[in-house]
Amino acid sequence: MFLADGWKDYELIDASQGEKLERWGNYVLRRPDPQIVWQVPAAEQAIAWKKADAVYHRSSSGGGKWEMFRTLPESWTVSYKNLTFGIKPMGFKHTGLFPEQAANWDWCSGLIRQAKKQREEVRVLNLFAYTGGATMAAAEAGAAVCHVDAAKGMVTWAKENARLSKLSEHPIRFIVDDVKKFVGREIRRGRKYDGIIMDPPSYGRGPKGEIWKIEDELFDLIALCMEVLSDHPLFFLVNSYTTGLSGSVLSNIYRLTLMKKFGGISETDEVGLPITNGGLVLPCGYSARWCSHDGI
């Protein structure tokens, strides 16, 4: 498992009966998670769970809302190593950051730093880039990053995260666009990237109503992205939170695309967060990692 165990400002305190109790900096949130099918004994839960500052309640008609037990700021910050991110409880239980992805930030950053010893520039393309966790990690490690997301609000949030992380002057291009159309234009422009990161949703719509279904689009998108990889690419990372899209599926796609053309090393596993109470681990989807043989 790729374990995100390097956090200080975030903590998964406990998890039981479809909910998780998390500390985001100075605030404790309680959110639903369908992976949590186990039950912690009530006596063990009692004290910790009463510390929640807010809880997200799902609605039977879809969506949900936050119930506040303490007045929270509209937003606040958490840090991971040299990076700082804005956190804000949003309408569909999210906070603007997926803390489990820190395991992948470290992996990408390590490869970039190693490559920078021998390459003048490392160019990274981050697709479905959301609020830019991976973008900031790659930029802080020394890469020139192109950050692409179809949601203007998320790209604005990512720019703020760059400011908070003191990366505003780094070479980051922020693009609001449909991912597949953007990659097609990059191919025509002849632009190349040494690393690609993508975190595709299970289902979504582009800025002009374009429909995205991961099971219909993922293979073709990865194949398309092969055309913007440099002659000596460094890494390729795909994250999947889609139920039913197993790690073996991602491995098969890599064997038919990246491994077939470049060789290299491929590894697919679950991403997880350690749970403080009880010592369990919460699985948070799959990540497929590919890198060149020597990593440079």
Side-chain angles (χ1 to χ4, degrees):
M1 178 176 277
F2 305 137
L3 194 62
D5 57 359
W7 280 98
K8 294 182 179 179
D9 270 8
Y10 171 85
E11 178 187 9
L12 180 51
I13 301 168
D14 207 350
S16 180
Q17 292 181 287
E19 290 187 300
K20 54 189 175 184
L21 188 70
E22 306 165 289
R23 178 179 60 81
W24 296 86
N26 296 324
Y27 303 99
V28 177
L29 304 180
R30 182 172 169 177
R31 297 191 293 162
D33 190 310
Q35 291 280 83
I36 304 168
V37 299
W38 59 86
Q39 180 176 353
V40 174
E44 296 179 21
Q45 272 189 262
I47 297 175
W49 289 73
K50 288 180 180 178
K51 295 180 180 179
D53 297 308
V55 58
Y56 183 87
H57 298 289
R58 285 193 183 278
S59 169
S60 58
S61 59
K65 64 179 182 179
W66 288 93
E67 179 184 3
M68 303 295 180
F69 301 129
R70 172 186 174 191
T71 301
L72 300 182
E74 182 179 345
S75 64
W76 64 94
T77 62
V78 298
S79 294
Y80 181 77
K81 299 183 177 179
N82 295 328
L83 306 174
T84 301
F85 305 101
I87 299 300
K88 178 170 61 177
M90 300 193 300
F92 190 66
K93 80 173 182 177
H94 296 306
T95 62
L97 196 67
F98 294 99
E100 66 274 9
Q101 286 302 317
N104 287 323
W105 304 341
D106 290 343
W107 178 76
C108 293
S109 296
L111 290 172
I112 292 166
R113 288 192 175 94
Q114 182 184 359
K116 286 284 287 183
K117 295 176 183 178
Q118 299 189 30
R119 302 186 187 193
E120 183 175 343
E121 184 179 47
V122 174
R123 294 168 56 87
V124 172
L125 177 61
N126 188 9
L127 303 173
F128 308 99
Y130 196 50
T131 61
T135 294
M136 305 312 142
E140 196 273 335
V145 187
C146 182
H147 173 111
V148 185
D149 198 283
K152 184 177 180 180
M154 294 300 104
V155 175
T156 300
W157 196 333
K159 290 179 181 178
E160 173 62 10
N161 283 336
R163 185 191 68 80
L164 291 170
S165 295
K166 297 181 172 57
L167 294 168
S168 295
E169 301 305 315
H170 281 59
I172 305 173
R173 295 167 59 209
F174 292 100
I175 307 293
V176 179
D177 205 348
D178 173 78
V179 160
K180 197 168 183 179
K181 291 180 179 178
F182 176 79
V183 173
R185 284 193 290 274
E186 292 291 85
I187 292 170
R188 293 191 290 274
R189 295 178 186 121
R191 286 205 177 103
K192 298 291 184 179
Y193 297 90
D194 304 300
I196 294 179
I197 300 165
M198 64 171 72
D199 200 346
S202 300
Y203 178 87
R205 289 184 179 272
K208 296 183 180 179
E210 303 92 338
I211 295 176
W212 163 274
K213 291 183 179 180
I214 193 170
E215 62 271 25
D216 296 336
E217 303 283 354
L218 185 59
F219 179 84
D220 287 345
L221 179 59
I222 292 175
L224 188 69
C225 286
M226 297 276 290
E227 299 184 48
V228 294
L229 282 174
S230 63
D231 292 337
H232 302 286
L234 187 61
F235 65 83
F236 203 115
L237 171 68
V238 176
N239 298 308
S240 173
Y241 293 91
T242 304
T243 303
L245 194 65
S246 72
S248 295
V249 171
L250 297 174
S251 294
N252 288 342
I253 293 174
Y254 272 19
R255 288 183 63 184
L256 292 168
T257 54
L258 292 153
M259 300 291 288
K260 186 175 181 179
K261 182 174 181 179
F262 296 109
I265 301 167
S266 174
E267 184 179 11
T268 303
D269 208 338
E270 288 182 299
V271 183
L273 285 166
I275 303 171
T276 300
N277 292 352
L280 303 178
V281 174
L282 176 64
C284 306
Y286 283 91
S287 288
R289 297 172 173 180
W290 174 88
C291 66
S292 57
H293 284 293
D294 52 11
I296 58 176

